[in-house]
Amino acid sequence: MSSTNPEFPVPKAAAVGTNHWYLSASPILRALVHLCVPMAAAMIVGAIYNVINAGFIGSLHDTTLLAAITLGSPLLALVMAVGGVFGTGGGALVSRLLGEAESDPAKAQGIKHVSSFSLWGAALAGSILGGIGLLLLDPLVSLLGADAAAAPATRDFVAVTLIFVPVLSAAFCLEQLVRAEGAARQVMTGLIASTVANVVFDVLFIFGLHWGVAGAALAVGLSNLVLIAYFSTWLYRNSEHMSLAPRWFTLSPAILKPVLGIGVSELLQASFLIVTSLVLNNLAAAYGDGPLAAMGVAVRIAQVPEFLLMGITLGVLPLLAYSYGKGDRSRLLAALRTSGIVVGAIALSFAIPAIMFREQIISFFMPDHSVLLLAATILTAQLVAMIANGFAGLLTSLFQATGRIMPATVMSMTQGILFIPVVLLGNLWFGLDGIIWALTITEVAVLLLGILMWLMFRNAIDRGLAEGSPTRANDVLSQMDA
């Protein structure tokens, strides 16, 4: 199709202050604030909800209920990863096509196919995963580590969660699609509204109807239905190019390859994170409750800057993908450079004072002086790992935004693949110190690998930015017409 086709007029310049303007023409720093601050805020709100939810269940004074939620958390992470397969890959392709439409408006037609495939693909994959889980419910509960006392509550929590797997994965996918248009504030609004609904449902089901952990799982499922309703309504009313209608669903390789190629890296990353978390907890538990408690406190303190950095690295992805699809090399490099400076500034501004005053900070959460120094050491290791992870996450977003499937997948897999031998050997050679510093060593290694792959693929990315290059963002329409 030609860009001169009257059916596809040359797009007008985006109005100042619109989501499109932030992607296409706004100053880079303003674009980053628009895209990244709402993402970080929504993630922090979600973390606060997790604490509140644990408080609700904890108020029932039944440790098996808290154990059930803890044991079921890897399943929730896996479900979100399934939604991320379609949402991350689909969202990156949508942003690239929006950028391509700047010079060839016909390219925007492919966005309808991408958005429909992503949503319904996530829902279908979630249905299959949930159905298999329900058929194998008892073995799954055992695999999650539930003992005889926690098994009944864990079974209730997992069963309700599995019923809502299609909803959860579709909601997470829609979040990425909305963000792909630069609508970060709308994503934040939807996530906060969903969190508020979740709290309301928690109060109703846990305290009003006394449904325990099954009520908590039901609250999560229904709040995600609220999220789907909000995002679907917003896209229907405001998106010029996206459509969620099943009639646009397609299994064309031009859609499957870029969406699943990038999205699978998210699934692999989440799967490895679950495995590494289980390995780490089991190794640390051998040293007693003190190291486990110290590790829990240090991880929660480090989560605040980690969420802010994730807001940057995830928020900048649509801007990078749009600039790449448009072929705007200077804007892509400016976005990458500015976001790198922001990542470094945030990481260091948190890490330096936290390391300098680590014992005083830890003492607020852990008055037991016998493990104070241990917790301070763990916090130092976590903060150094956080800095490396921030820059590694930025490189991963660059690879995803530019459609580089191989390096994106390698970055996602390396952390999990590398961490397990590092932590096992660290425990064997250095004991608890080896466990504490294993994540730091792994994150630094992943960052170095990411820099190496960036140097390897830099020329390919430059060629992809060139106007008319076949290695640029996928020409969805021409491949479909063929």
Side-chain angles (χ1 to χ4, degrees), residues 83-214:
V85 169
F86 297 89
T88 302
L93 183 55
V94 164
S95 294
R96 292 202 300 273
L97 289 172
L98 285 172
E100 286 195 51
E102 288 282 327
S103 57
D104 187 355
K107 302 292 178 67
Q109 282 294 99
I111 294 175
K112 290 183 172 61
H113 295 288
V114 177
S115 55
S116 180
F117 167 76
S118 298
L119 173 65
W120 295 107
L124 179 60
S127 299
I128 294 172
L129 179 64
I132 293 173
L134 288 170
L135 290 174
L136 303 174
L137 182 57
D138 289 331
L140 178 59
V141 169
S142 299
L143 180 64
L144 290 171
D147 58 19
T154 304
R155 192 179 192 279
D156 291 342
F157 182 80
V158 169
V160 177
T161 299
L162 289 170
I163 292 172
F164 280 96
V165 167
V167 172
L168 299 174
S169 57
F172 192 75
C173 174
L174 278 175
E175 174 193 334
Q176 313 306 311
L177 292 178
V178 173
R179 190 159 55 87
E181 290 208 342
R185 283 181 294 188
Q186 286 74 20
V187 170
M188 180 184 69
T189 301
L191 292 175
I192 292 176
S194 174
T195 300
V196 172
N198 208 330
V199 172
V200 172
F201 288 136
D202 271 341
V203 172
L204 174 62
F205 298 145
I206 296 175
F207 299 118
L209 299 176
H210 306 290
W211 288 349
V213 290

Side-chain angles (χ1 to χ4, degrees), residues 13-34:
V16 175
T18 61
N19 293 321
H20 188 187
W21 177 76
Y22 282 107
L23 290 177
S24 63
S26 79
I28 294 297
L29 195 57
R30 287 190 64 180
L32 288 178
V33 171
H34 173 80

Side-chain angles (χ1 to χ4, degrees), residues 31 119-120 159-160 179 193-194 228 285 301 315 320 358 412 427 462:
L119 173 65
W120 295 107
V160 177
R179 190 159 55 87
S194 174
I228 288 176
I301 294 173
L320 295 174
R358 56 190 182 275
S412 299
N427 180 49
D462 282 341

